[in-house]
Amino acid sequence: MVFHNLMEEIITTRVPALFEEAARTKVDWLSCSCPQCQADTICYVLNKVPPKYIASSRGVAYSQQEGLNEVQLSVDIDSEIIQGMKHILSRKRPHFETSEGGDSATPAYNFPAVVGKVLNGATFEPIFDIQVSLYSKGNLVTMIDNTWHNPYNILEYTPGTFTFWPKPEKADASGIKKLFPMELRITAEGYEPVHHFFDIQLTSESRITKVLNTNNMYRVPDIFLFKQQ
């Protein structure tokens, strides 16, 4: 059975339209309308609005009875999108680096995204306003492009969660196994600093890949911070 979120369809349609409208009317807060900013806005809004799932034509009919297409809901969604646009565009961040394509015919070690959570050791609640850095052999690991940050600042709207995607490393040939030592350094005001070590073992592939595989992420066990004594 396939499930479909009607809100995703509406928002992915309205976001580009509202970016175009903002550009046409020359609003003073529109500093960028690149595909990355639009994608970030879509994700931001989808994470804020309740989903409306359907699995059949009966579900479509039911959603109509709930008033999914009523004018008020449309206004509310547009309002959320405008807020999302302003939020994304207010963040000081580098723009998406363009590449020559998804793959390059060079043998390489393609890293998975590294994902984890930082929790309060006393309350087990996610922590924000902290910095997480990914190192390898004492050096900051270079990310795949400028949309991935290292160090990573965990903010209030993504409490506890950090993500990294290391840049592929060229290999002499495909099929070669290699162990990459990694270290997470975590600092937060009022908490004991943490150094978490782990290894990622990779087998070199025939091509450099720049397509994120969300089914092949390296998930770090939950890390707990404790207050300084």
Side-chain angles (χ1 to χ4, degrees):
M1 183 177 294
V2 178
F3 298 92
H4 179 64
N5 181 7
L6 288 174
M7 298 302 288
E8 181 176 341
E9 180 179 332
I10 294 172
I11 291 167
T12 54
T13 300
R14 289 299 296 156
V15 165
L18 288 176
F19 266 94
E20 289 182 7
E21 178 66 14
R24 185 184 66 81
T25 56
K26 299 180 180 179
V27 295
D28 56 5
W29 48 263
L30 185 69
S31 57
C32 182
S33 59
C34 73
Q36 186 64 44
C37 287
Q38 294 190 31
D40 287 347
T41 301
I42 290 170
C43 291
Y44 179 83
V45 177
L46 282 173
N47 284 328
K48 291 195 68 176
V49 301
K52 287 187 177 290
Y53 290 106
I54 60 169
S56 64
S57 59
R58 187 181 297 274
V60 174
Y62 181 72
S63 69
Q64 296 297 311
Q65 291 180 358
E66 283 193 314
L68 182 62
N69 291 327
E70 288 182 356
V71 172
Q72 183 58 50
L73 182 56
S74 177
V75 171
D76 291 343
I77 291 174
D78 281 3
S79 177
E80 287 283 0
I81 292 173
I82 295 296
Q83 290 182 34
M85 292 167 65
K86 291 180 178 179
H87 174 81
I88 294 299
L89 296 176
S90 68
R91 297 171 60 194
K92 301 298 182 182
R93 60 200 178 96
H95 287 76
F96 179 76
E97 283 186 347
T98 57
S99 64
E100 297 176 356
D103 299 315
S104 177
T106 301
Y109 296 98
N110 293 304
F111 289 87
V114 177
V115 182
K117 280 196 170 185
V118 183
L119 307 175
N120 186 311
T123 65
F124 299 97
E125 294 180 350
I127 301 178
F128 56 90
D129 287 337
I130 65 176
Q131 187 176 85
V132 183
S133 303
L134 181 64
Y135 283 81
S136 182
K137 298 179 179 179
N139 298 312
L140 273 175
V141 176
T142 303
M143 297 293 98
I144 193 165
D145 62 43
N146 284 338
T147 64
W148 296 76
H149 304 147
N150 188 19
Y152 184 95
N153 294 310
I154 298 180
L155 304 178
E156 186 174 4
Y157 60 88
T158 55
T161 302
F162 61 84
T163 58
F164 298 101
W165 190 11
K167 182 179 180 179
E169 182 175 305
K170 291 184 178 180
D172 294 330
S174 60
I176 303 173
K177 291 184 178 181
K178 185 175 180 180
L179 198 66
F180 293 86
M182 298 288 178
E183 176 192 358
L184 288 169
R185 300 181 187 178
I186 304 173
T187 57
E189 186 176 354
Y191 290 89
E192 296 286 347
V194 169
H195 296 259
H196 178 82
F197 298 89
F198 62 98
D199 295 323
I200 297 179
Q201 182 168 303
L202 299 176
T203 301
S204 59
E205 303 175 48
S206 60
R207 306 178 70 87
I208 292 176
T209 301
K210 294 185 178 181
V211 177
L212 180 63
N213 182 356
T214 57
N215 294 318
N216 186 37
M217 292 185 174
Y218 183 94
R219 299 191 180 276
V220 179
D222 290 348
I223 298 174
F224 296 92
L225 296 190
F226 294 90
K227 290 283 188 178
Q228 292 177 334
Q229 299 298 322

